[in-house]
Each structure stands twice: as structure tokens, then as C-alpha cells.
């Protein structure tokens, strides 16, 4: 399940980087994840009144938070895929459940 999702993010990312002439070297995956975490933090700060709203409504900011969370998830999966990490096995070890079984229920 996670691998299929990572593959879908890879397809979308490959199209984006090709269209924008971006080179994805080994560092790019971690640096991009860090960039997206910064954007998620910025959205959180806006939502919680710790940052400027820049004229955006609370609903828009909440949508921004969801969008940035999706970006973090996508880039985390891209990072794991690029580094051939078995996230399902790691989740089993660290969180003590099987992601595939949760997806079926």
C-alpha cells in the first residue's frame, strides 16, 4: 500500500521536475522534505495566530494546512522510495501495527 502510494507520488514528481528542469540528486529528496516542513509550519503558525494571515480566511488557511501536510507526506514517501526504505516494516517495528491490515479495514 505505501509502496504503491510512493510510486504515484514519484510519477507526479517526475512530471513536475521534468517540466521545471529540476535535477533531483540524493540531497534533493531530504532538502525538499525540509522545505515542505517549513511551509507546513508556516501554515500552522498562520492558523494558530502566530503568523500573518496575509488576508487569507481561516478556511483558506486550513486548506493550506491540509495542502502542506499532503506535500510533507508526498515528499516523505519520495525520500523513503529514493533510499529504498521499507516503511511498512519500520511502522511494524516502531508503531507495532501492520499498515496493510489497517488499509483493508
Amino acid at each position: 500500500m505505501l509502496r504503491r502510494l510512493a510510486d504515484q507520488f514519484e510519477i507526479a514528481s517526475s512530471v513536475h521536475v521534468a517540466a521545471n528542469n529540476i535535477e533531483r540528486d540524493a540531497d534533493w529528496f531530504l532538502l525538499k522534505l525540509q522545505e515542505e516542513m517549513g511551509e507546513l509550519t508556516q501554515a500552522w503558525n498562520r492558523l494558530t495566530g502566530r503568523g500573518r494571515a496575509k488576508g487569507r480566511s481561516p478556511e483558506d488557511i486550513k486548506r493550506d494546512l491540509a495542502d502542506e501536510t499532503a506535500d510533507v507526506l508526498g515528499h516523505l514517501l519520495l525520500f523513503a522510495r529514493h533510499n529504498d526504505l521499507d516503511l511498512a516494516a519500520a511502522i511494524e517495528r516502531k508503531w507495532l501495527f501492520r499498515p496493510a491490515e489497517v488499509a483493508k479495514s
Side-chain angles (χ1 to χ4, degrees), residues 22-52:
I22 297 169
E23 180 184 339
R24 296 187 308 173
D25 60 12
D27 290 339
W28 180 90
F29 292 91
L30 184 58
L31 294 172
K32 191 65 180 171
L33 178 57
Q34 183 64 42
E35 176 187 337
E36 295 302 339
M37 275 301 304
E39 292 174 8
L40 176 61
T41 302
Q42 184 178 49
W44 177 254
N45 283 344
R46 283 189 181 130
L47 185 68
T48 59
R50 295 182 188 112
R52 294 177 291 130

Side-chain angles (χ1 to χ4, degrees), residues 13-81:
S13 179
S14 294
V15 169
H16 174 76
V17 297
N20 292 284
N21 200 27
I22 297 169
E23 180 184 339
R24 296 187 308 173
D25 60 12
D27 290 339
W28 180 90
F29 292 91
L30 184 58
L31 294 172
K32 191 65 180 171
L33 178 57
Q34 183 64 42
E35 176 187 337
E36 295 302 339
M37 275 301 304
E39 292 174 8
L40 176 61
T41 302
Q42 184 178 49
W44 177 254
N45 283 344
R46 283 189 181 130
L47 185 68
T48 59
R50 295 182 188 112
R52 294 177 291 130
K54 296 185 177 181
R56 299 182 59 74
S57 72
E59 294 79 20
D60 289 340
I61 296 170
K62 183 79 174 213
R63 188 178 68 228
D64 292 344
L65 186 67
D67 289 352
E68 296 307 333
T69 301
D71 283 349
V72 168
L73 175 62
H75 283 286
L76 180 61
L77 290 173
L78 288 171
F79 176 81
R81 184 181 187 280

